[in-house]
Amino acid sequence: MSPWNEVLSQGLLRDPADPAPYDGAGWSERWIAGALLTGRKPFGRFTLPLEEAQAWCTRARRVGLEYHRERIDGNALHITAGREETYGELFELDALVACYRDVLPPEAAETAAWALLSHRKESPANHTFAGVDAFAELPRALRGLTLGYPPLATARRILLETGGDGEIEFPDVPLDPGQPETAPEDDVPFCDHDHPVPRFDNHDDLVKACEPLTDLVSYYWQLDRELSAFAPRITGVYLADYPESLIAAFEAHERAASTDRYPRADAVYSHLCCVLRHLGREPADLLRGVRPPSRRAPGPGPRDRLPRRRTGS
């Protein structure tokens, strides 16, 4: 339920010549393994070399993951893993149901609603010991949520399966990342957004606008074990073609402890906000998903217009 999921999907569809963090055997397996440990993905399957997989298992129990492992060819483990928390604890299910009812045909929306709400008290870890065929029989809405796909992608897939067409506007309802450290207000760069959204009339203009942001994105990629080797490849062209990396870096910056933030953020934060707004992603709305209430910008955003998750549901 994170922009990094879209970075993964870019890798799956990439041209091998693209300068992106997808070189080497097993990049997608390691991406899934890392996303499970950090909470970016609630359930997944992957295969790692034996020693690396055993180290992963040691970490998994500490972060609330159930897993099943199967030895392959004597030198690798295939692992299926899922979060122990219930769907009701991990996700804002009422908000998701309301959105599905807004964007899908009535019958499809009610099927999706039943799939989500009837599993509120169950856990993604329940699927850890189920076979692939059994998992494939789950309703599409529950499979998408379990695998960590963005709700927009799942809604579009449901619409296609029902014979519908057209675009769907669907707000982000992310996996709860927990409460980040509350930094003093003067530690957080500021952009008041009180100016027109900039326009970049062509791709070359967008590339030029992205170039000042390459160091910021590279900085946060270097903090991610699987992305760090590719951080030097970040360019304005890459960011213009794959803007999800900008969104993910923006959110990583807001979640980071004050001592771990990009040290030159003051110089580029306002510019990053403007580029995001040009791309149709309002920073003030993104902040509502990552800041505690004391640091959230005022004014309504998509999450404020949706039903809130009930504690203990």
Side-chain angles (χ1 to χ4, degrees):
M1 310 301 291
S2 148
W4 292 124
N5 294 66
E6 307 223 7
V7 174
L8 173 63
S9 70
Q10 293 163 6
L12 295 173
L13 298 173
R14 82 193 194 287
D15 182 316
D18 284 349
Y22 313 115
D23 294 352
W27 68 264
S28 62
E29 306 292 315
R30 290 183 171 88
W31 189 95
I32 293 169
L36 282 162
L37 289 175
T38 57
R40 301 199 299 270
K41 190 169 173 61
F43 175 88
R45 300 180 180 90
F46 58 92
T47 300
L48 292 176
L50 185 59
E51 185 174 341
E52 190 175 345
Q54 290 173 334
W56 184 94
C57 291
T58 300
R59 296 178 61 193
R61 287 290 187 183
R62 299 173 185 166
V63 297
L65 284 167
E66 289 281 351
Y67 62 86
H68 170 71
R69 60 186 190 175
E70 179 182 357
R71 196 152 180 166
I72 301 174
D73 297 331
N75 57 6
L77 289 180
H78 178 73
I79 296 173
T80 304
R83 303 291 307 183
E84 295 176 346
E85 300 95 330
T86 67
Y87 288 101
E89 292 168 336
L90 287 171
F91 301 102
E92 298 187 12
L93 294 182
D94 293 332
L96 277 170
V97 166
C99 291
Y100 277 127
R101 285 173 172 159
D102 282 344
V103 302
L104 292 174
E107 184 176 351
E110 292 312 309
T111 299
W114 171 83
L116 297 175
L117 297 180
S118 64
H119 293 80
R120 182 190 294 272
K121 295 183 180 180
E122 296 182 14
S123 162
N126 289 355
H127 310 299
T128 298
F129 298 94
V132 175
D133 291 341
F135 185 79
E137 293 299 317
L138 296 174
R140 171 70 69 178
L142 187 65
R143 271 186 286 154
L145 192 67
T146 304
L147 292 169
Y149 295 158
L152 174 59
T154 301
R156 284 175 174 160
R157 176 60 61 184
I158 293 172
L159 187 64
L160 288 172
E161 291 174 348
T162 60
D165 54 18
E167 283 296 306
I168 295 176
E169 292 186 5
F170 207 84
D172 297 323
V173 185
L175 181 72
D176 188 349
Q179 291 297 313
E181 174 186 316
T182 302
E185 285 294 333
D186 56 5
D187 284 350
V188 181
F190 179 71
C191 179
D192 61 11
H193 313 303
D194 188 20
H195 49 265
V197 177
R199 289 187 57 187
F200 309 120
D201 294 327
N202 54 56
H203 186 262
D204 288 343
D205 287 346
L206 180 56
V207 169
K208 291 177 183 177
C210 288
E211 285 174 354
L213 304 173
T214 56
D215 285 348
L216 180 142
V217 178
S218 295
Y219 176 86
Y220 287 105
W221 278 33
Q222 289 176 45
L223 300 181
D224 186 298
R225 183 173 62 88
E226 300 306 327
L227 296 173
S228 59
F230 308 97
R233 300 188 183 189
I234 297 296
T235 64
V237 173
Y238 178 81
L239 296 179
D241 289 341
Y242 300 111
E244 290 84 1
S245 293
L246 289 172
I247 299 168
F250 176 83
E251 294 188 340
H253 181 80
E254 292 298 332
R255 287 195 178 102
S258 57
T259 53
D260 295 332
R261 288 196 179 101
Y262 176 62
R264 295 179 293 281
D266 285 335
V268 297
Y269 188 88
S270 296
H271 183 66
L272 172 60
C273 289
C274 289
V275 174
L276 289 174
R277 294 175 74 208
H278 168 79
L279 295 169
R281 298 304 301 267
E282 178 58 52
D285 292 339
L286 294 173
L287 289 177
R288 288 180 173 81
V290 298
R291 285 186 177 180
S294 64
R295 288 178 54 209
R296 291 178 185 168
R303 288 168 62 88
D304 294 326
R305 295 193 291 268
L306 299 173
R308 305 303 297 169
R309 183 178 58 202
R310 297 171 185 170
T311 303
S313 60

